Amino acid sequence: MAVTGIGGLFFRSRDPEARSAWYREHLGIGLGEHGVWKQDAGATVFAPFASDTDYFAADQSFMLNLRVTELDALVSTLEASGIVVERRPEWDSPDYGRFARIHDPEGLAIELWEPTD
């Protein structure tokens, strides 16, 4: 018996339909029937952070990290849609890749990660 991956991410929302539409429109997530999203194979990091971390907001119990390709192009598209994108040089690493951060309509931090090949 073995766990083979994450089968879903379920979270509460004040407006589930609008929030789902935002993820579909801006990130292409949940386009399938019942919100099923077929992902490319790749690394998934599963890592609890200390309760006092300042890496993401203290009022959020988790942060969503999404693997992406062509981070610069995605950032441009998001900014053109009026989405604020944060980038910090200290987040980027030749060992791990490049990062950007956005927030969904209800304030959940979403880290966009372009892994180093």
Side-chain angles (χ1 to χ4, degrees), residues 27 62-63:
L27 300 172
F62 69 95
M63 178 179 65

Side-chain angles (χ1 to χ4, degrees), residues 48-66:
F49 277 60
S51 61
D52 63 350
T53 186
D54 62 357
Y55 193 66
F56 55 94
D59 65 340
Q60 299 287 331
S61 59
F62 69 95
M63 178 179 65
L64 180 59
N65 174 292
L66 300 173

Side-chain angles (χ1 to χ4, degrees), residues 36-84:
V36 173
W37 170 36
K38 299 281 185 170
Q39 302 172 55
D40 293 343
T44 298
V45 177
F46 186 88
F49 277 60
S51 61
D52 63 350
T53 186
D54 62 357
Y55 193 66
F56 55 94
D59 65 340
Q60 299 287 331
S61 59
F62 69 95
M63 178 179 65
L64 180 59
N65 174 292
L66 300 173
R67 272 182 283 114
V68 305
T69 60
E70 301 178 20
L71 179 62
D72 295 328
L74 178 56
V75 165
S76 293
T77 300
L78 293 168
E79 289 176 334
S81 295
I83 296 171
V84 175

Side-chain angles (χ1 to χ4, degrees), residues 84-99:
V84 175
V85 179
E86 182 180 4
R87 297 184 85 173
R88 295 184 188 173
E90 65 267 22
W91 290 345
D92 297 345
S93 159
D95 295 328
Y96 299 108
R98 300 182 320 130
F99 298 86

